[in-house]
Amino acid sequence: MVGIPKSNRCDFCRRRKTKCDEVWPTCGNCRKAGKECSGPSKRVKFVNNGRHTRADKEKSNLVREVSTISLSDELLNIKNRTTADGATFSKLRVCARKPPVPAKVPGSSADLLAGQVIMYLRSSEGTGYSLSMFLSTLGYAPPLLEKNEALFDATNLLLSTWLKLCRGKSPEDMFDLASYSRSLRSLQKVLNDPKEQTSSATLAAAIYLQTTEYLFDYTKGVNQVSHSNGIYSLMMARGPPKPGDNFGSQLILDSFAFLFRLLLAGDIDNFFVRPEWQNALTSFFVQFKSKVPVILEMSKLVLYSTMVADATKRFSKIRNICPELLDAQELEGITATIDDIATKFGDLDRCTLDPLLRSKKIYEEPDPESPVGASYTFPSGLMSLYFANTAAFRIVTNRLKQELNAMFGLDDPNLEAECLEWSARIWKICRFSQTLKPLCAVSFNTPICVSYTSAPPEVWSYLIAKLKEIEGYRKQPVSR
């Protein structure tokens, strides 16, 4: 490699790319342009094997390229060339190094679903979208999703349908029949597995499927594939929950609404009155007594409501029989049972609801739209639901008394007055129930319908309007 002088042109001629006459100290072009001539150039160029290179330009380019290289970039060697004297030249290219993208998100499908369950339970608590008002056991489900396929599919169906409601999907697009069919197949599969057929996870899967149908699937009516009988069979096969089994105890409470329908229809025995089942539920509620002192009294509503179902079933068998043909002992037994239930509900009111009203934890506010001119405000949705259900069962108990009196031609006006009083309590809850829309307000449908029997005609339109508002989020079948 030999260094030879470059052209002697001055800087002005070189920039203009014109020939310089090299008459120094000032060349002809600079003299004509009135410029200060820089004189002959002092630069040199290098020739290697007859090829010219611009060392200064290549050096500046290299410095510029190197200065733009970051720590996340890398240099790729594209071409090497070795000269006769042993020098090696490399042609490099700067390539940005992209961060590696994992082929799969860490964690299994069960882990991702478990995270969603926990996140959505926390974010929806205390709102009208809260699932814990219907399913208190959802918090126990995440650790079991990996082991039980039926619980995974049922929870996934419940959560995906609930998300569609939160995102404002239309009722027609809310319930995915493909996911529902997959959940049914998974449930049948675990029911055929001796190790899993009576597990808590399998029972939870059946309850979650029934709850999903009740809340979201109204295209073919309620319970198009009822799981209530299956839930009852699983409970009888498992037996009462053992002490400390909070998951098993709360599964009983989550399924109570569906089992209560079977009790009313006389399709199942009232196992709630058996001592082993009563003791299991009582031991479950005892652990919360320090936080909620009245919890034990409030838990009696479950037992008393099943007693109402038994009394209703017994009365339905003799309702159309002439009084002269009735067994007097049976009739006295039914009358005594109903009177005992009414007394128990009265004691329940005095122990739970009356103290809450006196302490202003439940208080009245003026409400011009209400038929009674006032509405209740509650500390929680569960408290308001307990309040409404207690009033509804007291109305049903009085209706049974009135039916018995009618069979013997008796009339007690105090019974109707009490029904109107408890119905007014339910009407005072209507405004608060609207704050729990769209999902949780559905729980108040039954108490409102029960109070309708005591309402005067001017109140009917108010109650019907409230029911329509509650049911507005889901599609009603044409036949209803």
Side-chain angles (χ1 to χ4, degrees), residues 154-456:
T155 306
N156 186 48
L157 173 66
L158 173 68
L159 205 62
S160 61
T161 311
W162 176 81
L163 283 173
K164 291 179 182 178
L165 171 67
C166 297
R167 293 167 181 168
K169 295 288 184 180
S170 62
E172 295 83 359
D173 301 330
M174 198 174 295
F175 199 77
D176 185 8
L177 290 179
S179 299
Y180 177 68
S181 300
R182 182 168 58 252
S183 300
L184 289 179
R185 291 193 299 269
S186 300
L187 181 59
Q188 186 61 51
K189 182 178 178 180
V190 297
L191 288 174
N192 295 330
D193 185 356
K195 296 181 179 179
E196 290 290 335
Q197 60 184 359
T198 58
S199 66
S200 298
T202 302
L203 177 60
I207 295 173
Y208 293 177
L209 275 177
Q210 182 71 58
T211 304
T212 306
E213 290 179 10
Y214 168 71
L215 292 177
F216 303 109
D217 183 19
Y218 263 54
T219 56
K220 296 183 180 178
V222 181
N223 298 336
Q224 59 175 339
V225 178
S226 177
H227 304 282
S228 300
N229 288 296
I231 293 171
Y232 172 74
S233 300
L234 284 174
M235 283 189 174
M236 295 301 99
R238 284 164 48 86
K242 298 178 181 179
D245 183 10
N246 291 346
F247 187 28
S249 299
Q250 288 183 243
L251 284 174
I252 299 175
L253 301 177
D254 284 351
S255 63
F256 179 77
F258 308 120
L259 297 179
F260 186 78
R261 298 177 186 177
L262 299 181
L263 285 174
L264 280 176
D267 296 335
I268 62 175
D269 294 329
N270 187 5
F271 63 93
F272 291 97
V273 298
R274 298 176 190 172
E276 60 272 20
W277 289 88
Q278 285 191 45
N279 294 335
L281 288 176
T282 301
S283 63
F284 167 71
F285 284 107
V286 163
Q287 60 185 318
F288 305 107
K289 188 176 181 180
S290 59
K291 296 181 180 179
V292 186
V294 297
I295 190 69
L296 282 179
E297 297 298 326
M298 295 175 67
S299 66
K300 293 179 182 178
L301 178 63
V302 176
L303 176 61
Y304 295 168
S305 60
T306 60
M307 295 171 65
V308 173
D310 277 346
T312 304
K313 183 171 59 176
R314 290 174 61 186
F315 176 75
S316 64
K317 293 180 180 180
I318 66 170
R319 182 177 184 180
N320 298 322
I321 301 178
C322 294
E324 295 79 8
L325 301 178
L326 287 175
D327 184 356
Q329 187 175 0
E330 174 66 16
L331 193 59
E332 290 178 1
I334 295 177
T335 303
T337 299
I338 294 176
D339 289 339
D340 180 58
I341 294 173
T343 302
K344 290 181 182 296
F345 273 113
D347 295 339
L348 198 61
D349 260 4
R350 285 187 290 273
C351 295
T352 57
L353 298 181
D354 290 347
L356 291 172
L357 288 169
R358 287 195 300 268
S359 63
K360 301 299 182 181
K361 291 184 178 180
I362 301 174
Y363 57 92
E364 285 189 11
E365 288 183 339
D367 183 9
E369 296 183 1
S370 174
V372 291
S375 292
Y376 285 126
T377 298
F378 296 86
S380 67
L382 288 175
M383 182 65 71
S384 63
L385 183 60
Y386 171 82
F387 196 94
N389 285 333
T390 303
F393 279 117
R394 297 201 69 175
I395 294 172
V396 172
T397 304
N398 270 19
R399 294 301 181 200
L400 289 175
K401 283 185 177 183
Q402 288 176 323
E403 291 285 344
L404 281 172
N405 289 341
M407 294 177 67
F408 296 97
L410 302 176
D411 183 25
D412 186 355
N414 292 329
L415 295 178
E416 188 62 35
E418 290 177 353
C419 287
L420 183 60
E421 177 187 350
W422 294 321
S423 296
R425 282 190 174 188
I426 297 176
W427 302 338
K428 291 180 182 180
I429 302 174
C430 288
R431 188 182 73 173
F432 184 83
S433 69
Q434 300 301 304
T435 65
L436 301 176
K437 291 192 302 183
L439 197 60
C440 298
V442 179
S443 304
F444 296 86
N445 280 1
T446 300
I448 292 175
C449 291
V450 171
S451 72
Y452 187 89
T453 61
S454 306

Side-chain angles (χ1 to χ4, degrees), residues 113-132:
L113 181 60
Q116 290 178 338
V117 169
I118 296 172
M119 178 179 65
Y120 292 136
L121 274 179
R122 291 177 179 175
S123 61
S124 66
E125 189 65 31
T127 69
Y129 293 90
S130 177
L131 285 172
S132 58

